Amino acid sequence: MTATAYEPALSAIERDPEGFLVDPAQWNREVAVEIARENGIDEFTPAHWQVVEFMRNRYLETGAAPSIRSLGKESGVPIKELYKLFPKGPAKLAAKIGGIPKPRGCI
Amino acid sequence: MVELLHEVEREEEVERKPIEKVCIVVSKGSLEGIYPALIMANGARMEGMEADLFFTFFGLDAIRKDRQDGIKVATVGNPGMHLPTLVGIIPGMSWLATKMMGRQMEKLDIPPIGEFLELIHDSGGGIYACHATVEMFGLTEKDFIPQLDGILTVGEFYERSAGAEIIFT
């Protein structure tokens, strides 16, 4: 284990029963890749990062995760591509990997 | 008694299986008849489920090029509007109610019907028209939005819906 106090390992981070981080501040890029792997994404590409970072930044700026509509329009990754990157649901999965709470919106 | 107890235990053991696919039948052509179906189909895709939309009867308006932009809230025969029927019949009431609702939906980031169908289509959701209604209304594939995946008979619809939850709206 090489984790420092600033970058806790995934096992040391508190998560809810669905696997979302309880405290977004505990997130780091290593745990992101680890959560992705847990959810069946073995190869984490720059496009994955682009989506996850957009989700996370939007949440940190506004206090809410973006809708799938704005994710498709504003993240730079179109809807079709989003579902290829995250087949089990782009918004939910990108939020989980980005260490932010589960999106609450219906869209 | 003992047997009954066993029955109860067995029931508790049954694990609730998650829904894997939904097929939503849209039969109404009003705004309030169409939107819930679109939200449910998109929501299913967002949860990683398969989703198909099957438009029949007046629901076809949602995917008709010439009708899609004219879809309105029903201000008559709709007690949920809390509007006296005689007010509901005034010309422009339906237009006004639709405008107001549209503004509210835009605020919530709910797209207009055309864009919403595009979103569902790009998400991998299927968009189908009912063969019987298409014939009844004298329509052809050219009358529909390009996102249409096909015109299905009821038999083909059931075939596609194998293993799915069918929701009728």
Side-chain angles (χ1 to χ4, degrees), chain B residues 51-65:
Chain B
D52 273 352
L53 283 163
F54 185 71
F55 294 90
T56 184
F57 272 80
F58 300 107
L60 276 186
D61 280 9
I63 54 170
R64 274 177 71 167
K65 279 188 212 153

Side-chain angles (χ1 to χ4, degrees), chain A residues 13-84:
Chain A
I13 293 174
E14 194 189 342
R15 292 197 287 165
D16 73 10
E18 282 185 85
F20 289 85
L21 261 63
V22 172
D23 176 11
Q26 290 194 302
W27 181 87
N28 61 64
R29 293 174 77 91
E30 276 92 78
V31 302
V33 176
E34 223 174 306
I35 298 171
R37 208 174 300 129
E38 267 182 10
N39 287 278
I41 300 169
D42 291 327
E43 204 190 328
F44 209 69
T45 65
H48 285 101
W49 274 123
Q50 193 177 334
V51 179
V52 167
E53 277 169 358
F54 177 84
M55 278 296 275
R56 183 173 170 83
N57 291 339
R58 180 60 71 86
Y59 173 80
L60 295 176
E61 281 162 24
T62 66
S67 67
I68 188 79
R69 184 194 192 192
S70 30
L71 198 55
K73 275 186 172 173
E74 295 160 41
S75 70
V77 180
I79 294 284
K80 269 186 198 170
E81 201 58 38
L82 283 172
Y83 275 91
K84 271 187 210 143

Side-chain angles (χ1 to χ4, degrees), chain B residues 103-162:
Chain B
R103 218 172 298 149
Q104 202 58 34
M105 287 198 289
E106 188 58 50
K107 248 189 245 167
L108 295 170
D109 216 11
I110 302 175
I113 290 174
E115 188 196 325
F116 212 163
L117 284 163
E118 218 174 294
L119 171 66
I120 292 166
H121 179 259
D122 286 352
S123 310
I127 296 175
Y128 296 95
C130 156
H131 184 255
T133 322
V134 169
E135 282 198 327
M136 198 172 78
F137 290 165
L139 303 168
T140 65
E141 252 180 62
K142 280 192 230 94
D143 295 305
F144 297 105
I145 54 169
Q147 286 82 23
L148 184 76
D149 289 297
I151 299 171
L152 303 183
T153 65
V154 64
E156 288 165 339
F157 163 75
Y158 280 128
E159 213 175 292
R160 266 200 71 83
S161 305

Side-chain angles (χ1 to χ4, degrees), chain B residues 10 38-39 92 143 164:
Chain B
R10 227 174 293 142
L38 303 188
I39 291 172
D143 295 305

